[in-house]
Each structure stands twice: as C-alpha cells, then as structure tokens.
Amino acid sequence: DSGVTQTPKHLITATGQRVTLRCSPRSGDLSVYWYQQSLDQGLQFLIQYYNGEERAKGNILERFSAQQFPDLHSELNLSSLELGDSALYFCASSVGIASNSPLHFGNGTRLTVT
Amino acid sequence: DQQVKQNSPSLSVQEGRISILNCDYTNSMFDYFLWYKKYPAEGPTFLISISSIKDKNEDGRFTVFLNKSAKHLSLHIVPSQPGDSAVYFCAASGYYGGSQGNLIFGKGTKLSVKP
C-alpha cells in the first residue's frame, strides 16, 4: 500500500460530460502529481502541485484542470469529455518538489468515455 | 518525440535466470533515472534509481547500470522469480531551467517469469 488514495476506482461517462477525480496524498507528502496512461502508452505527466500551488505543467489539455486544497488532497477535473480521454489516471505524491525523490503512486482511476 | 524509450514491449524469462530490461534516452540533460514496477490494477511502485554520477546501483536482486555515453540504462534481475512478472517502467528527469524537471516515463516492458 503506497498510502496514496484515489477515488473513484472506475468511472464510466458519456462524451461531453464533466468528471472529477480525487486524490489523497501520502501522509506528510506536499507534492501531488497527475499522470495519464492511455492504451499502450507510457505515463504522461499532466500537472504537479506543491503545498497548494501549481508547480509544473505537462501535457495537460485546456479542458482539464486541477487544484490542491489546504488539506493537501487534490482534484483533477476533466470537462467536455471525448472518447480519447478514456485512460487510466494516476495520482502520485512525494515529500518535496524535486522529482528525483521517488514518487508514490495511487492505484489509479480508470475512466471510460462512451 | 519520445525522450525515454523502452523498445521491447515484452520479455519472457525462465525462473532463476537473469532478466535484463533495457531503456534508452535522448535528452542529455537527464541526470536521474528510476525504474518502477507495476502489477495489474495497481499503481507503479518505485524499484531502484541511479544518479548520473554513478554507473551502477545495486539493491538485492536488482541492479541498474547506466551508460551515459550511449544514453542507455538497463535493469538486471538475478535470479528472476515468478513474482517479478509485471510491467517495468523506466523514467528519467533532469535539472534544467533552475529546477529538477518532472519524470519522463517510457512505455514499459512486460516481464513474464515462467516457473
């Protein structure tokens, strides 16, 4: 158990809809990262927050947004969903800012857009 | 453009033998490399890492080798066990722009260890 909790585990929704994925980081970790894994793809970095502030952005679409709350949990909002957004979405956390400290991943949310 | 490449999607090895998983990278700014292991329905789990100032790092049955001139790293598992069957991701990051960049992952190699 990594200590990172993601909810829900599975989500099935229709195109055009909006969903929110939730992540609780490991106790003591201040950084939260979101990754997307599509079929046969590696993990694509989306966005990082550190102690409530956006720290880095990767390949995140404008239809997607995220935030980290004062209690350090994070939410990833996906809107105007398209079929291609179907993927596994992973949240990870680490103690500090630098990515050369190992990330601890949750078990992911599998999003299916129909 | 893939900066971290794992060219073998799958690898099958007999129990007790050596497993060698390979990874190539293109960005010379990468200075930190990690391997993650992923079982089905779980998130990736950190396995082992290596800094660019080293060429080898060992942890039990797992050894990572780094060849900077070739921009190549490999993970050796000796001896391989059926429980090692999983997808292995190579990841890299570099210090540029005044901060440590985020991890760039390869697409993974699925290792099957047969009893």
Side-chain angles (χ1 to χ4, degrees), chain B residues 4-62:
Chain B
V4 178
K5 299 178 185 179
Q6 294 178 256
N7 292 320
S8 298
S10 62
L11 175 67
S12 183
V13 171
Q14 206 66 33
E15 181 180 5
R17 305 295 291 267
I18 184 171
S19 294
I20 300 176
L21 296 100
N22 294 303
C23 178
D24 297 297
Y25 61 96
T26 57
N27 191 336
S28 57
M29 298 297 288
F30 287 150
D31 62 0
Y32 191 68
F33 306 88
L34 307 90
W35 285 93
Y36 282 80
K37 178 170 73 172
K38 184 183 180 303
Y39 292 118
E42 294 183 10
T45 303
F46 169 71
L47 194 57
I48 193 169
S49 63
I50 187 167
S51 163
S52 61
I53 62 172
K54 294 186 175 182
D55 54 19
K56 177 182 173 181
N57 189 26
E58 212 170 336
D59 184 2
R61 297 185 296 112
F62 302 91

Side-chain angles (χ1 to χ4, degrees), chain A residues 19-36:
Chain A
V19 297
T20 298
L21 312 184
R22 196 180 191 277
C23 170
S24 294
R26 234 173 37 135
S27 177
D29 285 357
L30 298 178
S31 271
V32 169
Y33 307 76
W34 286 98
Y35 283 84
Q36 179 193 56

Side-chain angles (χ1 to χ4, degrees), chain A residues 4 22 39 62 81 83:
Chain A
V4 178
R22 196 180 191 277
L39 191 65
E62 285 191 14
L81 285 168
L83 294 177

Side-chain angles (χ1 to χ4, degrees), chain A residues 33 35 37 40-43 45 48 55-57 88 90 97-108, chain B residues 31-32 34 36 38 41-46 49 89 93-94 98-108:
Chain A
Y33 307 76
Y35 283 84
Q37 185 184 19
D40 295 332
Q41 296 293 314
L43 292 140
F45 169 67
Q48 177 198 2
R55 176 77 177 79
K57 255 184 177 178
L88 261 173
F90 287 103
I97 295 174
S99 60
N100 57 2
S101 57
L103 305 184
H104 302 272
F105 283 83
N107 287 338
Chain B
D31 62 0
Y32 191 68
L34 307 90
Y36 282 80
K38 184 183 180 303
E42 294 183 10
T45 303
F46 169 71
S49 63
F89 290 98
S93 72
S99 63
Q100 193 75 22
N102 284 286
L103 284 178
I104 308 296
F105 283 83
K107 292 187 178 182

Side-chain angles (χ1 to χ4, degrees), chain B residues 72-112:
Chain B
H72 177 83
L73 65 154
S74 60
L75 174 68
H76 292 209
I77 306 174
V78 183
S80 301
Q81 300 173 353
D84 296 329
S85 297
V87 177
Y88 289 78
F89 290 98
C90 171
S93 72
Y95 191 88
Y96 35 76
S99 63
Q100 193 75 22
N102 284 286
L103 284 178
I104 308 296
F105 283 83
K107 292 187 178 182
T109 296
K110 185 176 182 179
L111 173 66
S112 299

